[in-house]
Amino acid sequence: MILRELQGYLAQHQTVSLADLMNHFHCDGDLLRLMLKKLMRKGRVRQLPRGEQCGDCHHCDPTQFEWYQFIR
């Protein structure tokens, strides 16, 4: 996967969770975060405020609460 593919996916879907990106591109969240940081530095993507979990349990995958948005 290259940055252009990631940017294209974000442009198409506008707002995507890290979990969705991991599932779509079949790659590690840390690798995706590095690529997303590069796109953020270029002003093409921003990270949204972290969503809240439903309670104090830890059953949910934390990547489901990490969201990114494409900037036109």
Side-chain angles (χ1 to χ4, degrees), residues 6-42:
L6 178 58
Q7 182 176 312
Y9 186 82
L10 283 160
Q12 181 180 6
H13 293 88
Q14 294 298 304
T15 304
V16 183
S17 72
L18 182 61
D20 290 337
L21 292 171
M22 290 169 60
N23 186 44
H24 178 78
F25 290 107
H26 306 288
C27 69
D28 181 60
D30 290 334
L31 173 63
L32 282 166
R33 282 186 190 102
L34 288 173
M35 298 175 82
L36 288 162
K37 282 182 184 182
K38 186 165 188 156
L39 290 173
M40 284 189 273
R41 283 193 304 270
K42 292 182 173 193

Side-chain angles (χ1 to χ4, degrees), residues 38-68:
K38 186 165 188 156
L39 290 173
M40 284 189 273
R41 283 193 304 270
K42 292 182 173 193
R44 296 186 181 136
V45 173
R46 69 178 172 157
Q47 185 173 6
L48 298 176
R50 201 155 183 66
E52 294 185 24
Q53 293 179 322
C54 54
D56 291 331
C57 74
H58 298 284
H59 294 275
C60 298
D61 180 2
T63 61
Q64 293 177 339
F65 303 103
E66 191 171 335
W67 289 83
Y68 295 89

